[in-house]
Amino acid sequence: MTRIVLFLIAVGLIAVGVALAIDRPGEVIITWPWLDQVWPGHGHIKIPLMALAGLILLAMALIAIIWAVLRAIFRSPFAMRAHSRRRRGERAYEAISRGLLAIGAGDLAAARAHTTEARRLAPAEPLSLLLHAQTAQLSGDRATADDAFRTMVNRPDTKALGLRGLFIEAQRRGDTASAHAFAEEAARDNPSLSWAGRAVLEFRCLTSDWAGALALLEQQKPALDKETYKRQRAVLLTAHALAVEDSDRDTAKSYALEAVKLAPTLVPAAALAGRVLAENGELRKASRVVHNAWVKEPHPELAEVLVNLRFGDAARDKLKRIEALAKRVPGHIEGALATARAALSAQEFAKARSALADHLKAPTRRVALLMAEIERAEHNDEGRAREWIARAVNAAPDPVWTADGHVSDRWLPASPVTGRLDAVEWRVPLAGSLSAPVIDPAPPPVAPLVIAPEPAKPAEAPAPVQVEAPEWNSAAAAKPEMKVEAKPDITIEAKPDIKPEFKAEPIIPLVHAPDDPGPDAVEETGPVIEPESGWRKIFG
């Protein structure tokens, strides 16, 4: 707005000046003494005022044009160089874009061509280096990819990307020490890198450096949501407490209580807290911690802690505590198992059988083995015990501590395979991986298809075979044109009162990749029967 006002004021002043000059015409006299000496009588020049103004404007315009021409001549080499650089950059950008798209599509030939073009046009561009590294990875040339990532590490703007690439390559070739070093350097240079912080945390968990893992988790706290931070800190505190349980009971107690406060449903933390509290005589507090965790996550470790809550208790007192605990989660199998085991220790065999009664139709392995113990203890019946042990072999599996396909007999704070924190879960191994029912040990019989041979007839005069149709299709069968020539050696006899049933046995389906055609089909040696709706149609 200010510029517009100033422009209008300047235009107004110029207009006023022009109007005054027109209203008051005059002349401008220019005296040149040296011209009078050379050319007498011409040393004085008279020019009208408006003409002089026009001459001045014309001279200024000529000077501006001459300056622009000279400036363009002198700057032309620089302009041509800038245009060439801009054109080269546009071509390099196009090559990089097409190369990245080719890598995403898996077109190795196109990716290599565009990579060569990009490296020729812009060899020092970060995206050109990335395209070169990813093309090498796509072609399986690990050495070239490693060299490209090391080149990125030597530049400040691509160092983080280079370290990430070197970390991935080290993991692929199984070089754990190098991968750890690359992740440590990336986390030290840029603590906000989530992949680096997670990798360093996993490495420290694999090496049982719980103090270092806790310190690193505190550095990553701003980048984590509140619940994730609390859960991971509780897991690390529990791991640290278990590590110092035998050497420093006070530290283990403080870490376990803090872990229970952060994650009340973490079974190992609650079990450890219950043990250390019971040892210190804080029985009420220990019982409360165990009960709170049991309600959310029933687990045999919690039941064991409650059974051994007070040293020297009688077996019947332990049974009463377990019965009260089992009532908190009615119908749960862990409560039934805990009650049955406590009742077996107290010689209360009726209560033990009653606790397991609801789980005997489809017993798990622990249920079957516990029933075998009951049979031995109550009746000394080795036959029934062996029968239950045999059922345990084929019984459904029980939950265990498992992560990434690894099964452990105790809780671990991180996966022993990948080092992923809080990956070990209490569940049935491979639960949920199969969508089909378990194989039935006794599938229903399949009704056989009767195939009766027909006496051989002379080949030169084959007799037409007419297939008898059921009542609902009798009209079609009566027509003379509804006949078909069949081979004289076999006849398929189909009776209306016996309908063959084709019922497949339940099997575990194979899961294939989208591009996997699956296993080769087994060639059948018998006659192929094509299923059709109703009886086989007869075409003339």
Side-chain angles (χ1 to χ4, degrees), residues 237-246 248-249 251-257 259-260 266-279 286 289-290 301-302 305 411:
L237 286 172
T238 304
H240 201 175
L242 289 172
V244 300
E245 181 182 5
D246 297 332
D248 192 349
R249 305 292 288 185
T251 303
K253 175 184 175 182
S254 62
Y255 285 167
L257 291 177
V260 169
L266 186 59
V267 171
L272 177 58
R275 287 199 303 269
V276 295
L277 288 172
E279 291 176 1
V289 169
V290 171
E301 290 186 15
L302 299 174
V305 171
W411 176 82

Side-chain angles (χ1 to χ4, degrees), residues 334-399:
E334 295 296 342
L337 286 169
T339 303
R341 188 163 294 281
L344 178 60
S345 299
Q347 301 295 313
E348 295 283 349
F349 302 111
K351 286 187 177 181
R353 293 179 181 275
S354 175
L356 297 177
D358 295 337
H359 305 280
L360 296 181
K361 293 182 179 179
T364 63
R365 292 175 184 172
R366 285 190 295 165
V367 172
L369 292 176
L370 188 55
M371 283 299 301
E373 293 184 25
I374 294 173
E375 294 293 347
R376 282 198 184 102
E378 184 178 8
H379 303 296
N380 196 20
D381 191 344
E382 189 65 26
R384 292 299 299 270
R386 289 177 181 273
E387 180 182 349
W388 279 109
I389 292 175
R391 294 185 64 179
V393 174
N394 298 321
D398 293 285

Side-chain angles (χ1 to χ4, degrees), residues 419-495:
R420 185 163 50 95
L421 186 64
D422 195 23
V424 179
E425 300 177 349
W426 179 257
R427 60 180 178 84
V428 178
L430 302 180
S433 61
L434 302 177
S435 58
V438 181
I439 298 178
D440 190 352
V446 180
L449 181 65
V450 180
I451 302 177
E454 185 179 350
K457 295 181 179 180
E460 63 274 10
V465 178
Q466 184 174 359
V467 180
E468 183 180 359
E471 296 180 1
W472 54 271
N473 201 16
S474 57
K479 295 181 181 180
E481 66 274 12
M482 301 298 288
K483 296 181 180 180
V484 62
E485 295 292 330
K487 294 182 180 180
D489 52 347
I490 62 171
T491 302
I492 300 177
E493 298 179 0
K495 298 181 180 180

Side-chain angles (χ1 to χ4, degrees), residues 60-74:
M60 293 175 61
L62 289 175
I63 292 172
I65 292 173
I66 293 172
W67 172 251
V69 172
L70 294 176
R71 185 169 178 267
I73 292 174
F74 284 109

Side-chain angles (χ1 to χ4, degrees), residues 38-87:
V38 177
W39 192 2
H42 293 81
H44 300 278
I45 300 175
K46 296 181 179 180
I47 302 175
L49 182 62
M50 295 302 297
L52 180 61
L55 290 174
I56 293 173
L57 293 176
L58 180 60
M60 293 175 61
L62 289 175
I63 292 172
I65 292 173
I66 293 172
W67 172 251
V69 172
L70 294 176
R71 185 169 178 267
I73 292 174
F74 284 109
R75 294 190 61 183
S76 58
F78 303 99
M80 293 178 63
R81 190 178 299 113
H83 175 73
S84 177
R85 189 185 302 111
R86 183 171 59 254
R87 177 58 182 165

Side-chain angles (χ1 to χ4, degrees), residues 261-316:
K261 184 177 180 181
L262 293 172
T265 61
L266 186 59
V267 171
L272 177 58
R275 287 199 303 269
V276 295
L277 288 172
E279 291 176 1
N280 292 338
E282 303 178 51
L283 302 181
R284 188 183 300 274
K285 189 174 182 180
S287 178
R288 183 169 62 251
V289 169
V290 171
H291 276 79
N292 292 338
W294 174 270
V295 171
K296 300 294 183 62
E297 193 71 29
H299 195 276
E301 290 186 15
L302 299 174
E304 184 180 358
V305 171
L306 196 63
V307 165
N308 302 316
L309 189 64
R310 184 185 291 108
F311 179 77
D313 276 355
R316 295 184 183 276

